Amino acid sequence: MSATFVTTSAMVTLFGLLALRPPRPRHSSPWNLSFALGHLINEQPFLAFYWLAAGTLPTLVGTTAWTPGWWIATGVVAVPAAVLTALAVRARTARPVLDAALRDAIGPGQPRHRRFRPPLVRILLLPFLSFRPDVRRVRNIRYGDAGRGQLLDVYVGRSAPEGAPVLIYLHGGAFRTGGKMLGARALLHRMAAEGWVCVSADYRLRRHARYADQLLDVKRVIHWVRTHGAAYGADASTLLLAGSSSGAHLAATAALTANDPHLQPGLPDADTSVDAVVAFYGYYGTADDDGRVTASPLAHLHADAPPFLIVHGALDTLVLAEDARHFANELGRHSAQPVAYAELPGTQHNFDMFQSLRTHYVVEAVERFANWTLSNKQEPARE
C-alpha cells in the first residue's frame, strides 16, 4: 500500500471520529482544536468521501482483486467509509427534532408548510454555493457613518415583492471577527425566494467598539429597515431578527431591550421592536460590560419578550449545549410567548455556513416558524 493510501485513510478516519464524537470541553470557548478538525467533515461528509476516494482508489484499482493485499486495502478503506456514512445518516435526525420543537412550542395548528426536496446537487457537489437566479443581492448599503462596520446587504426576489415581511440576520465571530457574507446564506436566499426581504448586516467589531456600540448598530439596522425598507418592497410591520453565535447574542439582547432609550442613543423615538427571534448556536453569557449595558440577554428577560426559535448543536464544542438550554429554559420561565428550543443530535457549531442536509432542515424549520409568526400577527385582523 502506498504512503498516500495509508495517510489518506488515517487522516479521514481521525477527522471523522473527531466529528462523530468530539472531545467534550469543560466550558464554552471561542475556539478549540476538535471544532477546527471535525466541523467541516461533520457538516459535509461527502467532501471527505471525495478526499478518501482520491487518495485510495488508485491503490485499490491497481491491486489484483481478491488477493490478500486487496482484502487488506479494502478493509482499511472500509473503516473511514463507515465513519463518514454514519455522519451522513446522522444528519437526518435534525428534521424530527426541529418538528418536535416547533410542535411543542406553537402547537399542532401551524400554518400549512411546503416541504422542499433537499438541493442534492448543491449538497453533493457545490456546498459552498448559495446563489439563486431568482434572488438578487443589493450590496454594501450604508446604515451608519462608521465605514465598513456599518454596511448591509439586501436580498430580494427578482419578482419585486411589495409589502413583504423582513428577516434581518447578524453574523457570528465571537464579537471580534466575521462579516455579513458568512453564515445563513442558504437561509437568506431561500426566504428571499419565498417572498421575504432579507437583510444581512455588519456591525462594528470588538477592536473598534464595545458591546453597547454593537447593540446600537443592531438597533440602527432595525431603524434603517423601518425607514428605508419600503424602497426594496419591505413592509417592516413584520420583522424577524436572526443571528448566529455572537450574532444570536446580539439579536436576543436587541429584541429583549427594544425601544429602551438608554440603549439607542441618537434614536430615542425609533421603533426597534421585532416580532420574533431566530438564534443559531448562540452564546448567551456575558460579553463585556462597559457600564452602559449588562452584556447578556439573560439580564434582560421579561414577560413581553417576542417568540424565539433557538437551534443549537448537541455536540457544539464552542458553546456548550447546556448553556443554550439554560437560556431557553430561563427565557421560557419569563416570557409569555412561545420559546421553541431544538437541540440537534450530532451537530457542531457553525452548522449554517454552507449547503448541507442539516442546513436544509434548519432552513425549512425557520421558514415554518416565520410563517407562523406572520399568520399569528395577521390573525387579529381576520377576526
Side-chain angles (χ1 to χ4, degrees), residues 216-230:
L216 178 59
D217 284 352
V218 177
K219 293 173 181 286
R220 282 175 172 152
V221 172
I222 296 171
H223 177 61
W224 182 93
V225 168
R226 290 213 155 94
T227 304
H228 302 285

Side-chain angles (χ1 to χ4, degrees), residues 247-278:
H249 190 291
L250 288 165
T253 306
L256 293 168
T257 61
N259 300 329
D260 185 338
H262 300 292
L263 300 181
Q264 49 192 66
L267 303 171
D269 301 319
D271 179 7
T272 57
S273 63
V274 300
D275 295 291
V277 177
V278 175

Side-chain angles (χ1 to χ4, degrees), residues 61-378:
V61 171
T63 303
T64 304
W66 316 117
T67 62
W70 182 87
W71 282 111
I72 293 172
T74 301
V76 170
V77 173
V79 174
V83 173
L84 296 178
T85 300
L87 291 173
V89 171
R90 190 171 67 176
R92 295 173 59 86
T93 61
R95 175 179 268 175
V97 172
L98 289 160
D99 286 348
L102 289 174
R103 183 173 60 250
D104 292 344
I106 61 183
Q110 303 167 27
R112 181 166 296 190
H113 173 72
R114 293 182 295 158
R115 289 196 187 271
F116 291 80
R117 291 183 179 180
L120 292 180
V121 172
R122 292 198 178 194
I123 291 173
L124 294 174
L125 301 176
L126 301 168
F128 304 105
L129 179 65
S130 297
F131 169 80
R132 291 181 59 130
D134 54 349
V135 173
R136 66 186 179 97
R137 177 166 66 99
V138 185
R139 310 179 185 188
N140 295 331
I141 303 169
R142 294 188 180 277
Y143 69 87
D145 57 4
R148 296 190 61 83
Q150 292 180 332
L151 298 176
L152 57 82
D153 294 343
V154 176
Y155 296 76
V156 61
R158 294 191 183 277
S159 58
E162 293 184 4
V166 181
L167 171 72
I168 297 173
Y169 173 76
L170 306 170
H171 65 83
F175 305 100
R176 294 175 173 83
T177 62
K180 55 185 170 59
M181 290 297 293
L182 297 177
R185 300 292 303 285
L187 173 64
L188 294 168
H189 282 90
R190 167 76 167 270
M191 295 297 285
E194 290 299 305
W196 288 65
V197 171
C198 298
V199 174
S200 183
D202 283 329
Y203 48 87
R204 288 171 289 173
L205 300 176
R206 185 59 55 84
R207 61 183 177 272
H208 301 301
R210 301 295 297 274
Y211 185 83
D213 304 310
Q214 296 173 321
L215 183 63
L216 178 59
D217 284 352
V218 177
K219 293 173 181 286
R220 282 175 172 152
V221 172
I222 296 171
H223 177 61
W224 182 93
V225 168
R226 290 213 155 94
T227 304
H228 302 285
Y232 302 91
D235 176 6
S237 63
T238 302
L239 197 156
L240 270 67
L241 186 58
S244 300
S245 195
S246 56
H249 190 291
L250 288 165
T253 306
L256 293 168
T257 61
N259 300 329
D260 185 338
H262 300 292
L263 300 181
Q264 49 192 66
L267 303 171
D269 301 319
D271 179 7
T272 57
S273 63
V274 300
D275 295 291
V277 177
V278 175
F280 296 158
Y281 48 91
Y283 168 71
Y284 306 106
T286 301
D288 71 26
D289 193 347
D290 60 5
R292 290 175 288 173
V293 58
T294 303
S296 169
L298 284 164
H300 303 283
L301 303 178
H302 56 82
D304 295 327
F308 271 67
L309 170 60
I310 302 169
V311 184
H312 209 87
L315 295 184
D316 193 325
T317 59
L318 300 190
V319 180
L320 300 186
E322 50 262 43
D323 292 349
R325 201 182 312 135
H326 172 69
F327 172 70
N329 291 336
E330 289 299 303
L331 177 61
R333 287 200 314 110
H334 287 80
S335 177
Q337 293 294 329
V339 177
Y341 176 69
E343 190 169 304
L344 306 185
T347 304
Q348 256 282 11
H349 207 74
N350 281 14
F351 55 73
D352 64 335
M353 292 298 289
F354 36 72
Q355 298 279 357
S356 70
L357 191 60
R358 187 177 285 112
T359 296
H360 171 78
Y361 293 146
V362 170
V363 170
E364 190 177 64
V366 172
E367 186 181 6
R368 203 151 124 214
F369 178 72
N371 289 339
W372 171 82
T373 302
L374 185 60
S375 64
N376 194 52
K377 186 167 184 177
Q378 292 174 344

